[in-house]
Amino acid sequence: MQNNVLILDFGSQYTQLIARRVRELNIFCEIKPYNKLPEDLSTYKAVVLSGSPYSVRGEDAPHPDLSQIQGKKPLLAVCYGAQYLAHFQGGNVAPSNTREYGRANLSFIKTNEPFFENVSTGSQVWMSHSDTIKDLPTNATLLASTNDVKNAAYKLEGEDTYAIQFHPEVYHSTDGKQLLENFLVHIAGVAQTWTPDSFVETTVAQLKEKIGTDKVILGLSGGVDSSVAAMLLHKAIGKNLHCIFVNNGLLRKDEFPSVLKQYEGMGLNVKGVDASARFLDELEGESDPEKKRKIIGRVFIEVFDDESHLVEDAKWLAQGTIYPDVIESVSATGGPSATIKSHHNVGGLPDFMKLSVVEPLRMLFKDEVRRVGASMGLDPLLLGRHPFPGPGLAIRILGDITREKVAILQEVDAIFINGLKDAGLYDKVWQAGAMLLPVNSVGVMGDERTYEKCVALRAVESTDGMTADWVNLPYEFLQKVSNDIINKVRGVNRVVYDISSKPPATIEWE
Ligand code: XMP
């Protein structure tokens, strides 16, 4: 890949954000742990050193040999990176006496510096560090200071090496993206050619080359990632892609037939497998959330394994893994920390796990997956779908699962979700759904006393599901949805709205 940028990760919570900002500039980049420096650096046009929770002076602190990079490639060192670079070059890093967290304002020491093009002195930056660079290396020139941090930005003479104590990647550094652009585009000369169209073109060509005439199996979930992965593979290998879409009986109302039809309409070679009865039978009587998840995971593997046997000579298993999953499974300090876990390996791994894995989206962030999907003409309704958990309604029915409860919850959920769509609220919400509570309460309908079920509606805003807040839906909307549910769904006489944030609550109730 031409025009690639390497981000060397020292374990900062913001490393992924650096990658996001670089991608927003239409520049491709990869994150590698600092101790897994690729042997071949020829494809990288520039390198960024990330921040870190470590102190340069700490015993276990990352101290990689930068001699392959520094002075040889344009280099931008951020926060810990800047401190380590100073240390590596003979400068002095020591604990700071002043508070160096939060907002600060840059004051330029050196003017006419290309790194500061289109950035004005006084620009707000975000600091987060407890050590400080007391003395710069002798070959360094100070570029900018803040009130509390003298050595806030510097460069090394005679090379394209820049270092900044603040975080350009965070939103609160108002000119952070401009600084990244100045460094990557104007100083390092990286071309801004990373676009969804270019990604589709190169990925399809690579997939063709890699897979040839082999057969590939892919499990579709109805979600964005597996659908976009399927379309890329479909473009590359056509009918040799065999998609399997399993109905576990815990999908939303009418989801199985409608999504299956949509997939067929996209030209995919897809087989719908209705295994509802198998899942629901196995779940009977089980109320423990984790056990429900395990049962569903196991049955899915069994069903998928059976189905994959029906595709003769399949060589590959395609997955919709995306970049955050890849990064999370690699720790900055210890290399890959997660390997495939399987409670099936007692009797040998399922056969599909023995296939080679192909993951066409493993370098993309979620919003990039959506943009790639859009550039291939995927239905915006499919691309804009809320996340839905793999175990489906099973973890939204608190307690044991019965077919009757599934049917009730499907009706309630459909009224809520369609209501959000009709009111133009669906796209303003990150995820929404209904929970069927193991609670009966007294109500009155007509002259009759009722003793029926209670449902909780949940709608949250979030960016990644890690933290979330409840959405302030209009009272009139909640009133209408509540009325519709109670009037139309037999067995429900009470609706409540969940106003808990995550943390301390979670998005799902189980
Ligand atoms: P929580 O409830 O942990 O959910 O706040 C965060 C996000 O993860 C989804 N979720 C799951 N997804 N299998 C999945 O595929 C699961 O077991 C599972 N549990 C939660 C949840 O819907 C939300 O988007």
Side-chain angles (χ1 to χ4, degrees):
M1 172 87 56
Q2 294 300 310
N3 289 306
N4 196 352
V5 170
L6 172 65
I7 299 167
L8 215 50
D9 182 22
F10 292 118
S12 161
Q13 56 173 329
Y14 297 133
T15 306
Q16 277 205 40
L17 262 189
I18 302 180
R20 295 302 323 272
R21 296 286 169 266
V22 174
R23 299 274 184 96
E24 281 168 19
L25 292 167
N26 292 334
I27 292 173
F28 185 65
C29 61
E30 285 174 86
I31 299 174
K32 301 276 182 202
Y34 76 90
N35 54 357
K36 296 263 178 340
L37 190 66
E39 273 180 23
D40 179 11
L41 293 172
S42 62
T43 55
Y44 299 108
K45 291 199 93 171
V47 179
V48 179
L49 305 183
S50 85
S52 174
Y54 287 95
S55 156
V56 166
R57 297 163 297 107
E59 265 190 17
D60 318 329
H63 280 192
D65 179 6
L66 296 179
S67 54
Q68 290 303 309
I69 301 170
Q70 190 221 315
K72 299 187 172 134
K73 302 263 174 199
L75 177 66
L76 176 66
V78 173
C79 193
Y80 177 91
Q83 297 179 353
Y84 177 61
L85 182 71
H87 172 86
F88 187 73
Q89 287 290 299
N92 178 25
V93 176
S96 162
N97 311 324
T98 49
R99 214 181 91 93
E100 298 191 3
Y101 290 94
R103 287 183 181 80
N105 296 90
L106 278 186
S107 153
F108 296 163
I109 306 294
K110 191 163 181 290
T111 45
N112 292 334
E113 168 51 52
F115 186 59
F116 291 135
E117 208 177 300
N118 295 322
V119 177
S120 12
T121 194
S123 175
Q124 178 181 293
V125 293
W126 194 258
M127 296 281 185
S128 178
H129 58 112
S130 49
D131 280 356
T132 198
I133 304 168
K134 292 270 189 232
D135 304 304
L136 288 177
T138 48
N139 57 342
T141 303
L142 182 62
L143 300 182
S145 304
T146 68
N147 269 351
D148 292 326
V149 181
K150 180 171 172 243
N151 296 317
Y154 66 91
K155 67 183 278 192
L156 296 185
E157 283 312 318
E159 50 191 81
D160 288 331
T161 300
Y162 288 78
I164 47 184
Q165 182 60 79
F166 52 90
H167 289 272
E169 67 276 21
V170 304
Y171 173 76
H172 291 94
S173 289
T174 38
D175 289 314
K177 202 165 154 189
Q178 181 68 51
L179 289 168
L180 288 171
E181 181 173 344
N182 290 347
F183 170 71
L184 292 170
V185 181
H186 306 310
I187 295 168
V190 187
Q192 294 171 285
T193 51
W194 166 254
T195 60
D197 286 350
S198 71
F199 174 83
V200 172
E201 199 179 311
T202 46
T203 307
V204 168
Q206 283 164 359
L207 289 171
K208 272 186 185 158
E209 162 107 22
K210 184 170 183 172
I211 297 168
T213 54
D214 291 349
K215 286 186 190 166
V216 179
I217 299 173
L218 179 144
L220 283 169
S221 71
V224 178
D225 302 342
S226 65
S227 306
V228 174
M231 267 321 270
L232 278 167
L233 281 151
H234 174 68
K235 271 180 176 286
I237 61 166
K239 293 285 175 207
N240 277 343
L241 172 68
H242 294 254
C243 300
I244 298 168
F245 180 36
V246 176
N247 183 5
N248 57 12
L250 299 153
L251 301 175
R252 296 195 135 117
K253 186 183 175 188
D254 296 332
E255 187 169 19
F256 184 62
S258 68
V259 173
L260 190 57
K261 207 163 149 210
Q262 188 169 23
Y263 283 140
E264 284 163 355
M266 284 155 58
L268 294 177
N269 176 10
V270 55
K271 179 171 180 196
V273 180
D274 188 355
S276 318
R278 193 160 159 186
F279 280 89
L280 294 173
D281 287 349
E282 295 252 10
L283 282 165
E284 204 178 307
E286 186 54 70
S287 355
D288 179 272
E290 284 315 297
K291 286 189 183 148
K292 287 184 194 172
R293 280 187 169 84
K294 286 219 165 78
I295 292 171
I296 293 168
R298 171 176 58 77
V299 177
F300 181 82
I301 287 177
E302 288 167 8
V303 171
F304 199 79
D305 200 25
D306 289 351
E307 287 303 321
S308 61
H309 278 115
L310 303 178
V311 182
E312 269 176 43
D313 298 331
K315 296 268 188 320
W316 301 84
L317 174 71
Q319 291 183 332
T321 315
I322 64 172
Y323 204 35
D325 310 328
V326 176
I327 307 172
E328 272 158 29
S329 68
V330 177
S331 71
T333 44
S337 56
T339 44
I340 297 176
K341 287 182 221 143
S342 171
H343 33 269
H344 266 239
N345 52 13
V346 187
L349 286 173
D351 280 353
F352 71 83
M353 278 199 178
K354 294 177 191 155
L355 302 172
S356 309
V357 172
V358 55
E359 297 171 320
L361 308 178
R362 63 180 279 117
M363 286 305 185
L364 300 191
F365 289 104
K366 188 84 179 183
D367 58 318
E368 292 171 333
V369 174
R370 291 207 167 94
R371 284 167 60 201
V372 164
S375 95
M376 290 189 292
L378 258 71
D379 185 346
L381 292 179
L382 193 157
L383 295 176
R385 293 180 82 179
H386 289 171
F388 187 65
L393 300 181
I395 54 168
R396 294 184 178 171
I397 296 172
L398 277 75
D400 69 318
I401 296 163
T402 63
R403 286 168 168 78
E404 188 204 356
K405 287 182 188 173
V406 173
I408 290 178
L409 188 56
Q410 281 177 333
E411 293 302 324
V412 171
D413 177 79
I415 291 173
F416 183 35
I417 298 297
N418 291 334
L420 285 169
K421 288 180 180 162
D422 292 346
L425 292 165
Y426 185 83
D427 291 333
K428 300 195 169 80
V429 168
W430 189 77
Q431 186 174 16
M435 322 290 157
L436 187 66
L437 308 187
V439 171
N440 277 35
S441 72
V442 173
V444 54
M445 283 188 188
D447 290 333
E448 297 275 312
R449 176 187 189 275
T450 60
Y451 188 59
E452 292 179 336
K453 294 201 161 32
C454 174
V455 291
L457 306 182
R458 182 111 166 103
V460 295
E461 50 194 23
S462 175
T463 47
D464 50 16
M466 302 296 284
T467 57
D469 207 355
W470 60 280
V471 180
N472 198 344
L473 293 175
Y475 282 168
E476 298 72 32
F477 169 78
L478 289 171
Q479 188 179 37
K480 180 172 181 327
V481 166
S482 163
N483 263 343
D484 283 355
I485 292 171
I486 294 174
N487 285 327
K488 292 181 186 157
V489 187
R490 270 176 179 270
V492 175
N493 69 355
R494 196 174 292 270
V495 176
V496 297
Y497 186 53
D498 182 350
I499 53 166
S500 332
S501 63
K502 172 184 179 176
T506 52
I507 295 176
E508 307 295 345
W509 280 41
E510 283 200 336

